Amino acid sequence: MLAVMVVTNHIDGDSRVQKTARSAAEAGWDVVLLGRARGTVREEYPLGPARVVRVPLRMTAQSYRKDNPPRGLAGRLGYRSGEQARMRVDARRALRADLDVERRLLALRGGDLRGRLRVTGLAAADRTRGYWIEARRRLYQRAAAKAAEPGARDRLAAGVGRDGGAWRTQPQLVDFDTAFAPVIAELRPDLLHAHDFDTIGLVTRSALKLRAAGSPVKIVYDAHEYIAGWDRPGDPAFRPAMSAQERKYIPLADGVVTVSDAIADLLAADHRLPVRPTVVCNAPTVAELASSTAEPVPDVRAAAGLGADVPLLVYAGMTAPERGLGTAVAALPDLPDVHLAMVTARNGYVDALVERATALGVGNRLHVLPYVAPDQVVAHLAAGTIGIVTSLHSPNYELSLPSKYYEYLNARLPLVVSDLRTVGAFTRDHGIGEVFPAGDAAAFAAAVRAVLADPSRYTKPYDGDLLARNTWEAQVPALLDLYGRLVS
């Protein structure tokens, strides 16, 4: 049986899709994990017993929409695109240069009347052309600016939320379909697994085409997030568009998977699903926990250049303002001798945190460290003193334990976490850390001091079966049972 799993990222940093592919392949499925190439050439390589196929995305629709914003009536008198406006301006510049040549030639001929009249006419035409080009360029710019206004995006988002036309504000969906649909048709799978809300549309359409051709393919939708509670800064249309995408296609899925009980309950209620989604938490694999015995793993403490007695807070994963790491940086002045290591990729937000730490006089205690291999994360973090989750309140963040939380658990770290619903409750219920009000730097510092005063109190619960229940291997039977029921 062939299972094709589809994701729109590069696969490399997505531990959930990698673990899903490996586990299904180890259980006897023929698995192809279909993702996005970094370059312009199709790539294929093994991922354990599974196979990865990465295809290039030209992003034609996205580029076109960016350069060709919707225009009103006045905008239609302007240029239709920024590219056309630039071409017209450049063409006039070339013609003006040629007019200078005409003037030079006229001077060489002694300025005869016929030549003077010709050059005067060309100059007049150039001035008229310049007024026309500039007027149309300004009309285009005005239309583009108006289309980009938050109010306009909000109105378009509301319309998309009602009619499900997500492609109107998210043209990348067209590009995903263009790249992935032909490969799916070529592979003719028995089961299609759509990873996340941006693939459910293209997977469903591909499955329906295969069924029309006589192939009884099944559809699994894997909701990595609760999109109805997710926001993308700067794009008010993203959430309603993707919510509409999910709402439109989820009734056609043969099975639904998600990452937490809370999201499973919400999806079942929101979409009136006849069967509650299967919960498969994104916990580390046992192999990841044992990786330190297989080969040397970079030590987070050594990578930060710190000794064994230095208190070290560790954070692992993507960084963005909503992750609340500014709270931890702001607390460092109240935590003498405590260091913070962020295992993450550099971006503008990380650079701003470094600048903030420097301004507070604690720049030498903030360490930005590179990612390690996915199967090394737990062992890498185990040398830390406390694992932190500082996320600010957001509907989506309230509903599940993030990947980093499971990594901290299996690294046997005591925790300091913000009072998100699921994260805070799990931490309190199991006695593995302290909870502070999200965004409160003083409370964060107090929570850190409480854990440092008696760390063994918070690590004792790890001696039971808590860790065994929070590994990937404990999640796999539910996933395989769903697959088996769909294709039996």
Side-chain angles (χ1 to χ4, degrees), residues 33 54 58 69 89 133 157 167 190 244 263 279 287 304 325 340 462:
L33 180 52
R54 300 201 303 189
R58 293 192 302 271
V89 170
I133 289 172
W167 58 269
D190 300 288
I263 295 180
V279 176
L325 286 162
L340 168 60
Y462 294 141

Side-chain angles (χ1 to χ4, degrees), residues 43 154 158 202 410 432:
E43 305 161 350
D154 287 336
L202 77 92
N410 285 283
I432 53 178

